[in-house]
Amino acid sequence: MLFNQEVKDTPWLSQHLAVTTLQRNLPAVLAAFAEETEVNKCPVAKGLYAYCCTYRFVAAVYLQADMLPILARLSKVFQRENVNFLAIKEQVPVTKACLRTIKEAADHQSIGSFLARLYEDLDDPAGLGAFHITHEEERHRRGRGQEVDETREGHWSRFRTQVMEPYLDGLLDNLDRRFQHLDILAAFHALGPQAANDDDAVNTQHLLTLSAKFLQKPDNPTLLQQWAAYKNLMTGAFKNMDQVSMMSKMASQNDEWGQLYPCLSQLSAIALTVPISCVSCERDFSAMNRVKTDLRNRLQGDHLTACLLLTINGPPG
């Protein structure tokens, strides 16, 4: 088997692994489709071969192989139950900058990228070169539409303007919409254990940002006084806790901490409702899949048992 990775809608990690495997084994995949088409006359293989053996498809696989590792790194930030708020602020701009680099590089992709070696791989007689991938999109192969430039440069120019740039622009727009308030997300870092070792000026700025946004008090001395005592808790009673556990204690209505530090308790409750970690959601999907698999196995087992009893005892009556 060429593939041991399965493509899913979420997260980006599984797509990254699957596309990397496909890119590495693309000549073998095309050879398998060609053999099924020629030897077994398989119509499905013929259709897949016609679709995959195109410049646009191959270039798209190489683009994904360059782009998905960037998104996978960002995805890993959210693959923890105890998400580091400051890491989000740092990693999102890095991700956007890397995507812009691919777009702005245009005809001069960075050395070491998959797109930079696209032409070399297409000309390799022991690899993709054996399949003569020179034709354009499906409508042109069927004789529809206007004649287009059949040169390699023409193929790349159309792919870049019609596929790569719109796709990257869409990703950048989605990231901008998803992370509109990075400063506010980063400010919740002040409620975590790492803040005890940070500069007090940085923590003060974070707290004032949260106060102005959620407590409607741009200058809140009460909050700063509470945090001064809370800082000691980070190295005392809370020193062995992670950020989620600390905020849960502060936000609890059944614990004295919320009464002692009401402003921090309110901010902790707000932070706990911010939907940044995808761990619980993915656990729910995994649990649902396990239940469905177990139920299917049980039903199959009951069916086999009924068939066996019917064979041994005959029909009832």
Side-chain angles (χ1 to χ4, degrees), residues 2-302:
L2 290 176
F3 304 105
N4 57 4
Q5 304 296 338
E6 186 177 358
V7 177
K8 300 288 187 182
D9 291 335
T10 55
W12 291 100
L13 299 177
S14 59
Q15 294 186 24
H16 159 48
L17 296 173
V19 169
T20 300
T21 305
L22 175 61
Q23 189 278 330
R24 185 171 60 248
N25 296 285
L26 190 54
V29 172
L30 294 178
F33 287 155
E35 181 180 358
E36 285 294 313
T37 301
E38 294 295 329
V39 177
N40 298 325
K41 309 299 181 184
C42 176
V44 176
K46 181 179 180 181
L48 289 172
Y49 181 77
Y51 178 79
C52 297
C53 196
T54 60
Y55 181 91
R56 176 168 292 194
F57 177 83
V58 175
V61 170
Y62 277 59
L63 170 62
Q64 294 275 313
D66 280 336
M67 179 210 65
L68 286 175
I70 300 171
L71 294 176
R73 284 194 294 270
L74 178 61
S75 181
K76 288 179 180 178
V77 175
F78 303 93
Q79 299 299 309
R80 300 176 57 189
E81 187 172 6
N82 188 27
V83 175
N84 187 330
F85 288 94
L86 202 57
I88 298 175
K89 181 182 179 182
E90 295 171 350
Q91 191 59 38
V92 170
V94 169
T95 300
K96 293 164 62 176
C98 291
L99 294 176
R100 289 194 188 97
T101 298
I102 297 176
K103 176 187 173 183
E104 295 169 359
D107 300 336
H108 306 285
Q109 294 295 318
S110 57
I111 298 176
S113 66
F114 289 98
L115 284 175
R117 57 186 239 217
L118 175 61
Y119 285 177
E120 179 183 348
D121 288 354
L122 287 172
D123 294 333
D124 182 5
L128 294 174
F131 301 95
H132 306 291
I133 301 174
T134 57
H135 26 294
E136 190 52 75
E137 61 268 18
E138 184 71 18
R139 64 177 181 272
H140 176 63
R141 295 205 311 275
R142 292 180 177 178
R144 298 196 294 269
Q146 299 177 351
E147 290 296 321
V148 293
D149 183 6
E150 286 293 340
T151 64
R152 186 70 60 77
E153 290 75 14
H155 286 203
W156 168 252
S157 177
R158 284 192 305 281
F159 173 78
R160 183 166 55 84
T161 57
Q162 296 176 10
V163 179
M164 184 175 81
E165 292 179 357
Y167 183 53
L168 293 175
D169 284 339
L171 283 174
L172 290 169
D173 289 342
N174 284 333
L175 287 172
D176 286 336
R177 289 196 299 269
R178 174 66 178 82
F179 301 102
Q180 297 181 25
H181 306 291
L182 286 176
D183 289 340
I184 296 175
L185 279 177
F188 283 116
H189 176 73
L191 303 177
Q194 299 90 346
N197 300 319
D198 292 344
D199 186 2
D200 283 344
V202 175
N203 288 320
T204 298
Q205 185 58 49
H206 285 332
L207 292 168
L208 292 179
T209 298
L210 294 175
S211 181
K213 176 65 177 178
F214 300 109
L215 305 180
Q216 285 74 49
K217 295 180 180 179
D219 186 10
N220 193 337
T222 302
L223 174 61
L224 299 180
Q225 292 171 0
Q226 291 179 18
W227 191 86
Y230 179 72
K231 181 179 179 180
N232 292 322
L233 289 176
M234 295 181 187
T235 56
F238 292 173
K239 65 179 180 180
N240 295 323
M241 294 185 184
D242 56 34
Q243 184 164 3
V244 172
S245 299
M246 291 171 60
M247 292 190 301
S248 298
K249 261 193 169 302
M250 294 297 297
S252 175
Q253 298 296 320
N254 301 318
D255 212 320
E256 69 275 10
W257 302 113
Q259 299 175 3
L260 295 174
Y261 306 96
C263 293
L264 290 173
S265 176
Q266 184 175 349
L267 292 176
S268 296
I270 294 171
L272 290 171
T273 64
V274 177
I276 55 174
S277 174
C278 59
V279 171
S280 59
C281 177
E282 292 182 9
R283 283 175 178 169
D284 290 342
F285 283 119
S286 297
M288 182 176 65
N289 289 333
R290 287 196 299 270
V291 170
K292 289 167 61 178
T293 301
D294 182 63
L295 180 60
R296 183 168 57 249
N297 292 337
R298 287 176 180 272
L299 290 176
Q300 291 176 349
D302 292 342

